[in-house]
């Protein structure tokens, strides 16, 4: 009799659970971050996302949008998203304007996150900054004791066509190769590429950064703002299917129809310490936060994944300053210096922050509002090589990155 009672009780509990699932399918299909249950996108959900992306990029890639003020862009973005919400492609209550960070965020009907940038990734001040004449990369042999390691530059600023940035990175790649740092320049950075950072001793993130604000939670809505790294990899049907789990778990976000990654992306991709001691240098704006607020979400993800050290910038950083700091830092590390010593050398040469550097250029223009400066997390004593093993004088060469 007692066994019969417990069987009936168990059946009743199961029936209630099944009824609850049937009434609230959204709970059963919640993203991984809410339930811990892996999910994936269906073909029909991807098709709907592609419809949304087509409408978003038709706006953001247009000449009309390029000529709009930030306020006009906001109005156009909201009008487009309201239309998509009326079609059931975007969740109406998810549309959020973050004017401070220049972004309108939204949630696709499937639960993935999207955004529309209201600001340009390239500033007028950067475009007006002087650039140096390029020099031929020297055809020199590696250090006497062999190479000092290998590196990758994840270049996602632009596609390299008519670019005022790309020639410098091509030069740095050849130069570092000549001095024993086997350097690969990745010009078509994808989400999948960023899962292979462990193949390198040094990984350089040369991309645009932004801040993304979104709401999450089911019964009680919460809001989060986090730094993201913007890629040029365009969303398409097959990529959405391939990155379905990352999209639904909000480790990957789509901005202006292209993919962007969060700190959780790195933490998940390299969980268990798979980065295995890689040193990471980032040039992205707002990598460590903005407006005086330090945000370690991106670096935390990398360090939890096994990175030995992570260095990046607070606030928006002038491109020539960040590139000059990168040049000096890597050159000094090739010499055998620690990451801290190498960055300190760059600060001594180029200035303690990018406003100090900018004012020294005597452009006659006012600098941007908040100074950008580098932060190191992890092992600041990390090296590419032990002291004395590199016998070249790379750090003494004329920089191709300084103005």
């Amino acid at each position: 009799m007692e066994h019969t009672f417990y069987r009936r009780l168990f059946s009743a509990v199961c029936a209630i659970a099944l009824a609850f699932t049937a009434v609230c399918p959204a709970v059963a299909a919640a993203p991984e971050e809410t339930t811990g249950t892996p999910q994936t996108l269906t073909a029909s959900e991807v098709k709907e996302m592609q419809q949304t992306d087509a409408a978003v990029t038709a706006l953001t890639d247009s000449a009309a949008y390029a000529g709009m003020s930030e306020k006009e862009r906001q109005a156009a973005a909201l009008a487009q998203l309201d239309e998509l919400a009326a079609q059931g492609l975007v969740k109406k209550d998810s549309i959020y304007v973050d004017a401070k960070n220049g972004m309108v965020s939204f949630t696709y009907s499937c639960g993935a996150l999207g955004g529309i940038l209201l600001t340009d990734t390239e500033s007028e001040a950067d475009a007006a900054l002087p650039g140096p004449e390029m020099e031929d990369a020297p055809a020199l042999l590696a250090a006497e004791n062999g190479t000092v390691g290998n590196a990758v530059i994840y270049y996602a600023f632009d596609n390299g066509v008519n670019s005022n940035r790309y020639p410098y990175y091509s030069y740095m790649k050849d130069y570092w190769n000549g001095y024993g740092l086997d350097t690969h320049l990745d010009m078509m950075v994808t989400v999948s590429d960023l899962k292979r950072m462990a193949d390198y001793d040094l990984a350089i993130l040369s991309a645009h950064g932004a801040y993304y604000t979104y709401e999450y939670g089911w019964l009680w809505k919460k809001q989060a703002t986090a730094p993201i790294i913007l890629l040029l990899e365009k969303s398409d049907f097959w990529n959405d299917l391939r990155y379905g789990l990352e999209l639904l778990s909000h480790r990957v976000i789509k901005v202006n129809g292209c993919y962007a990654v969060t700190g959780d992306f790195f933490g998940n991709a390299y969980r268990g310490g798979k980065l295995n001691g890689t040193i990471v240098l980032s040039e992205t704006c707002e990598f460590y936060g903005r407006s005086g607020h330090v945000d370690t979400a991106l670096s935390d993800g990398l360090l939890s994944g096994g990175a030995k050290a992570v260095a990046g910038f607070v606030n928006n950083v002038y491109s020539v300053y960040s590139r000059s700091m990168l040049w000096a830092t890597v050159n000094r590390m090739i010499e055998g210096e620690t990451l801290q010593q190498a960055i300190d050398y760059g600060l001594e040469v180029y200035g303690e922050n990018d406003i100090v550097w900018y004012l020294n250029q005597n452009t006659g223009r006012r600098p941007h509002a908040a100074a950008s400066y580098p932060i190191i997390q992890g092992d600041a004593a990390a090296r590419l090589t032990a002291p004395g093993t590199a016998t070249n004088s790379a750090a003494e060469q004329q920089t191709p990155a300084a103005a």
Side-chain angles (χ1 to χ4, degrees), residues 45-84:
E45 288 173 329
V46 170
K47 287 180 181 178
E48 289 188 349
M49 277 208 297
Q50 286 301 301
Q51 285 181 258
T52 302
D53 290 346
V56 167
T57 55
L59 170 67
T60 59
D61 293 349
S62 67
Y65 192 78
M68 292 180 186
S69 66
E70 192 169 327
K71 188 174 182 180
E72 291 170 333
R73 289 181 178 183
Q74 178 179 313
L78 290 175
Q80 182 63 272
L81 291 173
D82 283 341
E83 183 178 330
L84 292 169

Side-chain angles (χ1 to χ4, degrees), residues 98 101-106 108 113-119 121 156-157 191 194 205-214 224-232 246-247 249-266 282-290 295-302 313 315-317:
D98 184 356
N101 291 306
M103 180 85 74
V104 178
S105 60
F106 63 90
Y108 295 89
L113 298 178
I116 297 177
L117 274 174
L118 304 178
T119 57
T121 52
F157 285 125
V191 172
L194 293 181
L205 299 171
S206 297
H208 292 295
Y211 253 62
Y212 185 90
T213 299
Y214 62 98
T225 300
I228 58 176
I229 297 175
L230 304 173
L231 304 181
L232 297 179
E246 280 98 344
L247 286 163
S249 59
H250 303 164
R251 296 190 289 263
V252 173
I253 295 168
K254 293 202 279 187
V255 177
N256 287 20
C258 294
Y259 299 108
V261 299
T262 67
D264 286 342
F265 166 82
F266 294 113
S282 173
E283 288 191 272
T284 65
C285 287
E286 303 174 347
F287 182 87
Y288 270 118
R290 63 167 293 163
D295 190 322
T296 61
L298 285 167
S299 59
D300 287 346
L302 288 160
F313 292 93
N315 298 323
N316 289 320
V317 59

Side-chain angles (χ1 to χ4, degrees), residues 15 30 42 147 155 209 226-227 230 248 266 294 319 331 345 358 372 375:
T42 65
T147 65
Y155 182 90
L230 304 173
L248 286 176
F266 294 113
V294 175
S319 62
N331 282 349
Y345 172 81
Y358 185 86
S372 182
I375 288 179

